[in-house]
Amino acid sequence: LRSACVYALVGDQRSIRREGKCRRLEMMTKSRSSFMMAILSAAALYVLLLAVHARGENVVVENVPSLEQCKGAFEKFLMSINVADQMSNPDLLACVGGASEGCCRAIHSFVGEGSPIYGCSCHKELHSEAWDMVYELAPIVAPGSNLAYIPVARPIVMQRIKECNVPTPENGCPAEANSANVVILEADPASAAQGSSIVIPNLNRTSAMMEYSAAYERTLEGFDEYGWYNPCTKLEGAKYCLASLQAPNNYMQVRYGMCVPESSTEEAIAEAIKDTAPEHYEKHEPKVDCSVMEKEPLDVGGIVTASVFALISILVVSATLVKLLVPLKDDHAFTRLVDCFDFCKNWHQLMAKPASGRELDLTALNGLRAVSMFWVILGHTLSYIIWIGGIAYPARLITPNNMNMVLKNWFISIYAGGFFAVDTFFFLSGLLVAFIASREIAKAKWRRPVTARSEMFFWAAYVVNRFLRLLPTFAAVLFFFWKIAPSLSSSPIWKLNWDQHSKDCSKYWWSDLFFLNNFFPVGNPADGLAPTTCVGGTWYLAVDMQLYIFVAPVIIAAWHHGLYLKPLLRFRKAVSTGASCTMIVLSIGLAAYTTIKRDVWLQYFGEGNFYYYYVKPWIRAPPYILGLLLGLVFHDFTNEEVGKKRLAHLKKNIPSWVWVSLFGLSLSILCLLVFPISTYYDTDHEIPPITTTHSAGWDRDAVIVYNTFKFFAWGLALFLLVLPTCLGRLSLVTEILGGHIWAPLAKLTYGAYLIHMLYPQALLTSTDATTFYYHTSHTLGMWLVFTVGSYFFCFRSVHGG
């Protein structure tokens, strides 16, 4: 989108060969930003090209080139600059946060009096054509661009131009330049400067209504203010309305929430706002919506989905009553069917105390899984508070000081390092898949000889069983939040958020359900950003499923059958270990190659390159493969006589200090991977390194090394931690992670993971307490709410409640 914004300024779209220039610009531009910050950086570049002279005082252009001269000059100017280099220009990027001295200095250095486009910004036609071309060319130059964000960029751009006092039709262009193509506008008569008297709309509100309304003076300063819409809707004789307006002396389109008498009409409210600055609002008509708090009714799909959930609830109640009141035979098929929906039986299974005290104690994996889920929710708590707050209050979010309040503190490592919790899931998944599959293979060997037919049946059942276990809950969550959730609440930002969610679901539901959403939709080649699918975060399930189908069978079959090749059968475990090591080395190599080729940096919002690096199975494979190897070793310890003897030997002959040393080494690796993340963001520059890597705390070589080895190192550390823990050689760790409290939470982790990104989305878009400033206690409080809510609603969905 950034390159589209630049290219859009070359002039008359009818006189330019667009496709060739787009290809050239696409090669020139390498974007490294999240979608939101990409828009703001695009705004900075738009300022660079349109603002032709910027100083601290007003500037007047004496000689304005003709429109035709400007159209020819734009192409020459565009091809003379390196767009990619300018994306790391600190002065230019300062325009994201405000019209600072550095921002205006950058504009002046590029398009001052010596520029070939000096004076061209006085042609208002060029402004309009530029934005029209952004819409047309953004999908060509940057595939996957979300055109819905362009209206967000436009008022920010125009505000920076005004604040830098650059010549525009509204400021500094000579009157004699006025023609059919040059429009001169008088300065806005209304002013919201501090110290001046402020006229607020006269809406005949009571004191309570005034209390629940937003502060109009903040709206005049360019900030979105919603007031308190939930209390307003409960106030007798009152209703909530939302106005969208461009305040006097501002270019930003802002939202102003009001609690007004129930008899007030939208037209009357708009007139009251216009009366505060008649001349200004004659040009910029405010729009008022008093239906913003009305809930959307269920459509046909919503009714069908709700009916299915109601049917499941009826089955649960009926089955529970039947088991309580009617004696049933234990071995009857009907009894087994009833047991599937019996709440009491499912509750007992959920709360059952896991067996402990065995030679190989896997109960510690429950604690590791639950704690990892808590960490995932913590990382997404901060990102979702910022994301939803950014939708509601974009003017506040883009202020660098607000971002630095969290990014330049040591604890950002804990939030940003949450992506490692997903790698813990990969490790645990690989371990349990190998252990359980090995157990089934051992049982099959006792029942029948190994044949091609029996093995084909085994591996087919292996895949089908996985789909049958995961799909029902996944589909329930997907359709609930697609078809039912949008009708459950309302707020000024509810509809905006859930309308977009429904559009994403209608396009990509199949990609989620068939575990393909880490490949479809395709990401932008320039920066790796991909359109959002239906259920956020489920790229992990796609990667896990792909590793389950294409990697695990190779390593497991090699371990037990020597890949079904007789010459390899004698060396089957060596073959499996060799195949695993080869895959890990290939993964590390691909991580290095992708990091260098795609210019992947370290970023909290999108991990540098989301599509080509972060969500690809060949990048995230090492922890999973190491988990597979440990699962195979654990199975040998419990199944074969030789393995049992080795286990006894390990426990007896290896001294305790060795196990403690392994624990210390693993803990050191984990901490070294997580806590240095804060040093990447801890810079002296005003703009944190999110939109760009300029002034980042790490150099390029450090990032390459980190991105190349971090997933392997995390998996290796878990291998060193889990091995002695499950062997009972770290008794304190085993007791803590193997406690009974973790067992039910671990069983609900899958459902909680599916819900944990959509539930906060619903909560934050329905509340009028959305925050836009960081505070640790508030963030941790929301984390607790999101964690409890995710597990609670997961339990209800799993048990049909």
Side-chain angles (χ1 to χ4, degrees), residues 377-378 380-382 384-385 752 755-757 759-764 778-793:
I377 298 175
L378 178 64
H380 285 146
T381 295
L382 179 63
Y384 258 77
I385 288 175
I755 292 173
H756 88 279
M757 292 186 73
Y759 168 66
Q761 195 172 330
L763 191 63
L764 289 172
H778 175 269
T779 304
L780 294 180
M782 296 303 293
W783 167 64
L784 182 60
V785 170
F786 295 161
T787 302
V788 173
S790 296
Y791 274 95
F792 174 75
F793 288 110

Side-chain angles (χ1 to χ4, degrees), residues 106-142:
I107 295 172
H108 173 62
S109 66
F110 277 94
V111 284
E113 293 184 6
S115 168
I117 60 171
Y118 178 64
C120 291
S121 59
C122 288
H123 294 281
K124 189 172 184 179
E125 180 178 327
L126 289 182
H127 292 254
S128 300
E129 284 191 2
W131 288 106
D132 289 341
M133 294 179 71
V134 169
Y135 277 99
E136 181 178 353
L137 298 177
I140 300 174
V141 178

Side-chain angles (χ1 to χ4, degrees), residues 15 122 153 175-176 187 221 274 287 349 429 530 555 656 675 734 772:
S15 63
C122 288
E176 59 268 18
E221 294 171 0
K274 290 167 66 175
K287 298 179 180 179
Q349 289 180 345
S429 177
I555 294 175
S656 298
F675 287 101
T734 304
F772 37 82

Side-chain angles (χ1 to χ4, degrees), residues 466-479:
R466 183 75 163 191
F467 275 93
L468 293 178
R469 286 182 60 246
L470 299 185
L471 271 181
T473 304
F474 195 177
V477 172
L478 185 148
F479 282 101

Side-chain angles (χ1 to χ4, degrees), residues 71-84:
K71 289 177 179 179
F74 264 119
E75 182 174 354
K76 178 181 178 182
F77 172 71
L78 178 64
M79 293 300 113
S80 70
I81 63 173
N82 189 314
V83 179

Side-chain angles (χ1 to χ4, degrees), residues 173-216:
C173 291
E176 59 268 18
N178 190 14
S179 67
N181 294 320
V182 181
V183 180
I184 305 298
L185 299 178
E186 298 294 333
D188 292 314
S191 175
Q194 288 186 344
S196 63
S197 60
I198 297 173
V199 180
I200 65 172
N202 182 5
L203 299 170
N204 299 317
R205 291 173 285 184
T206 65
S207 59
M209 293 177 189
M210 292 290 292
E211 172 71 17
Y212 298 143
S213 296
Y216 187 64

Side-chain angles (χ1 to χ4, degrees), residues 298-308 483-484:
L298 290 175
D299 59 11
V300 175
I303 295 172
V304 171
T305 305
S307 300
V308 172
K483 294 298 183 180
I484 297 179

